[in-house]
Amino acid sequence: MMKNMMLLIGGLIAVLGYFPAASAADEQPGLQIINPAKSYGIQVGDTLSRRIVLDLPAGSTIAKAGVPLKGSKAEGIELVGVEVSESDSGNGRQYSLRLDYQVFASSAKPVVMRLPQASLKMSAQDGQESVLTIPQWPFWFSPLVVSSSGKAGINMQAQFRPPAVEVAKLHAWLGVCVCLVVSGLLALIYINADKKWLPFMGGAFAHAHRRIKRLKATPGSTKEAFYHMHAAFNQWYGGNCFAQDIDSFVQQNPRFGKSREDIARFFTSSNEQLFFGQAKDASEVIKELKQLSKQFRNCERGVA
């Protein structure tokens, strides 16, 4: 009975001594290896971190070139990060080394993989060098898709249509934008078009401007151009309109008020050309009457 109890206690001690994950820390004083807390369910792209804490006596150091090289790869595992820090510890120095590994392996079924063995090169005060070996650390690698999953088509689930997007407000804004564009185009046409296919575009000065634009620069054409302009003034005035009637014309038609000086200039030019016979280049006269007829047409349309 006593012998069986001793065997049982010894077995429990052995089992409990196994769980702390025996490592080099148990073999060498001043060395502590902290492995990842999780050793199963590791998948591609996961990162595993090991931390190594080492106490060295005064004068001993870890060479910069004596730590594992970042970017090194071994069996689908890459060392993606190396961080070394040091601090005072009693009469010596304490070094803390962090190694970050990322798994890039692929497998059709769960397999046991190992973080690679690492070596630390140390230099003593007397110049002697030594190498500390950090053992491998095993873990279970789990694939994203195992080979026994079968054909994908068999396991496909029914597809659902995406929810409809509310577009009523978008249609309303689209209608507003279309109305603004159409209104702008109609306004440009109304201001600049010479034809009279739209309402309120066939005024007297619009008719005069269309006729004057077609005239060639000849002495006879200047008289015709003045005739069309006077006909437009007479139509707006409701009778014969002369230079002395300009103020009355502007009072009856306020939309021409901003162009009063140009109206007076037209009548002065008309009197000089038609009644006093002052010779003037026909091309200049036609050019001036084209500008005035367009300006008066804009006044007529209320856009001047």
Side-chain angles (χ1 to χ4, degrees), residues 95-242:
Y95 287 85
S96 177
L97 176 66
R98 175 173 172 171
L99 303 176
D100 295 328
Y101 297 90
Q102 193 165 19
V103 183
F104 291 104
S106 61
S107 176
K109 60 182 180 179
V111 294
V112 175
M113 301 184 67
R114 291 174 175 82
L115 294 183
Q117 176 179 292
S119 298
L120 299 179
K121 186 178 295 185
M122 299 174 292
S123 300
Q125 189 172 11
D126 56 3
Q128 294 184 356
E129 293 185 351
S130 59
V131 177
L132 174 64
T133 301
I134 307 301
Q136 296 179 338
W137 182 76
F139 63 92
W140 277 98
F141 174 77
S142 301
L144 297 177
V145 179
V146 297
S147 59
S148 60
S149 62
K151 294 183 178 180
I154 300 176
N155 300 311
M156 290 288 288
Q157 297 183 2
Q159 295 292 318
F160 297 94
R161 290 185 177 182
V165 178
E166 179 62 37
V167 295
K169 293 183 178 180
L170 297 178
H171 288 166
W173 280 110
L174 179 61
V176 171
C177 293
V178 170
C179 291
L180 290 176
V181 171
V182 172
S183 300
L185 290 175
L186 290 178
L188 290 175
I189 293 173
Y190 179 76
I191 294 172
N192 299 300
D194 292 330
K195 304 297 182 181
K196 55 179 181 179
W197 53 273
L198 282 178
F200 311 107
M201 291 180 61
F205 284 104
H207 177 76
H209 181 65
R210 286 196 302 272
R211 295 296 183 87
I212 295 173
K213 282 180 61 177
R214 301 172 186 171
L215 296 177
K216 296 181 180 180
T218 62
S221 63
T222 58
K223 294 182 179 180
E224 183 179 353
F226 278 113
Y227 167 78
H228 291 309
M229 291 287 284
H230 280 290
F233 275 106
N234 294 340
Q235 185 173 344
W236 270 95
Y237 189 59
N240 293 329
C241 182
F242 300 102

Side-chain angles (χ1 to χ4, degrees), residues 38-44 46-48 103 139-143:
K38 182 179 177 183
S39 62
Y40 58 89
I42 309 301
Q43 295 180 333
V44 62
D46 288 351
T47 302
L48 301 172
V103 183
F139 63 92
W140 277 98
F141 174 77
S142 301

Side-chain angles (χ1 to χ4, degrees), residues 16 56 190 216 244-245:
L16 293 173
L56 295 180
Y190 179 76
K216 296 181 180 180
Q244 61 270 21
D245 301 320

